[in-house]
Structure formats: C-alpha cells, structure tokens
Amino acid sequence: MSTPVLKVTDLAKSYGAIQAVAGVSFEVMPGEIFGVIGPNGSGKTTLFNSVLGQIKPNAGRIELAGRDITGKSPMELNQLGVGRTFQTLQVFGKMTVRDNLIVAAQEHRGSMFSRMFAPTDSGLGDKADALIQQFRIGHVAHKKAGELSYGQQKLVDIAMAFMSEPQLVLLDEPCAGVNPSLVGGISDLLKDLNRKRMDGAQGAQGGSFVVIEHNMDFVMDLCHRILVMVEGKKMAIGTPAEIRANKQVLDAYLGN
C-alpha cells in the first residue's frame, strides 16, 4: 500500500460551544484528486485552514507523506511541498503575469528580504514560461495581472500554486466567480496537470490535489473521490458515483 500524501486523523476544531470540525478523518492517495463538499457552515473551510496551518486544531493529527505536520505554519508547509489557492485572488495586480509566477516560486525559496533582492527572475523564468504556456495565458504574460479579466486572474492564481512544484496542492473554490464558460476549461487543465505531474519526474505524488468547491458538476467531473461534510462531521466519502447514489447525501445536501 502506498503512503498517503495527506492523512488527517480525528481532526477537531471548536470555537467556544460551536464544534466547527468534529473528529474528521480521511486520506489522499498519491495521484488522487480529492474533493471536499458540503453546505455552508459544514466545516469545509475550517478543515482546509487547519490542514494548511492557518488555524490550529484542538485535536487530531495531520501527516504529509507520513510526516507529522500538525501545527506547522503556512510558510513551513509551503517549503515542505504544500501549495494552495485561496477563495479570494492572491495575485499582485501591478506586476506582470510572468512576475507573479516568479514571485510565487521565490516565496517557496526564502524570506521576503531574499525575494525582494533576488535577481530579476532568480533563474525561474523558464519554469514560469512553461506554466504560462500550459495554462494558455501566453498572450497576457507581460500584462499587469490587475488588467486581466477575473477568469484570467483566476488562472494566474492557480498557476502560482504550481510554481514551487508542490507534492500536494489544495485548491479553495477554483471556480468561484468564474464565468461558466471557463469552468470546463479549469477542470480540463487540472486533469492535464494531474496526469502530467504523475507521469513526470515527481511521480504520482506530484499530482495530488484537494479541492473545495460548490459547483457540483465540476467536482463530480474532476475528482476521483469526494468527502461530504455536514455540521462539522464526515457524512460520506466515496467515488462520484457512490456519492450520487448515497440517499443520505442526497437528502442532506445534494437534494437541497
């Protein structure tokens, strides 16, 4: 059996009397695209932010490729090989698309001081150019990110998460606010990244993604397995077909 890229065991987080996450456990295997869904207030974001070091859980254990990372800071996790996107865009509007990608990789390498005084592209230009082509944003590579459409900025934001060549990428609502015509393109792009990273030098561990998303068609089309959360608890976990057929899930979430 392969070691899970991400293993979460009995994770719990409360705010006073409110139990935001109540003993949730799951594993993400090498090369897997893993979805997390649930209605508003189900604990998805708290779970995500606990894994990413944004908040400290009250209990439980988080492992990255067998290593305990519980309580690690976001910077430490980034340097250990965890990439992420946020619900809100994190691009630098006054910088070009290409420079946004370069800065994202510099962040993985060191401090703000080292990033500010590093050479122009820190030897990262070729990597940035390759991702720009893969994300099909070459025609805007030298435009300021703030001049792009929201959908184009979203693509830049996702590309930035891959610049450090992480072994695990967590994507927080990659389709939020995106024109419906672009949603299918994002799904195809993530599938392609998953496939190429599994086939590349990193092997399957380079293609492991965790996705939180409200767009059910997107999640069902993209993910290999899905975790359903309701009221801070794990209601179900399974393949898209199994989740679609789960009456409890249909009643509690999909049916609504």
Side-chain angles (χ1 to χ4, degrees), residues 138-160:
H139 59 296
V140 295
H142 296 288
K143 284 189 174 183
K144 291 182 179 179
E147 298 174 356
L148 307 185
S149 69
Y150 185 86
Q152 288 173 326
Q153 290 187 53
K154 200 78 170 182
L155 291 175
V156 174
D157 194 38
I158 296 172
M160 290 169 66

Side-chain angles (χ1 to χ4, degrees), residues 180-253:
S181 64
L182 184 59
V183 170
I186 292 176
S187 178
D188 290 342
L189 176 63
L190 292 173
K191 289 177 185 177
D192 187 53
L193 284 165
N194 172 256
R195 181 173 61 253
K196 287 182 177 177
R197 290 169 69 82
M198 287 175 65
D199 293 340
Q202 286 183 304
Q205 291 220 349
S208 304
F209 310 154
V210 180
V211 182
I212 285 182
E213 181 55 60
H214 285 290
N215 187 317
M216 294 304 302
D217 290 336
F218 176 85
V219 172
M220 292 293 179
D221 175 66
L222 175 67
C223 298
H224 301 130
R225 288 189 304 140
I226 299 166
L227 164 67
V228 184
M229 292 185 65
V230 175
E231 297 180 352
K233 300 177 181 178
K234 177 174 70 176
M235 171 173 280
I237 189 167
T239 65
E242 290 169 338
I243 296 302
R244 287 183 191 275
N246 187 311
K247 187 178 185 303
Q248 187 180 20
V249 173
L250 291 171
D251 291 344
Y253 179 48

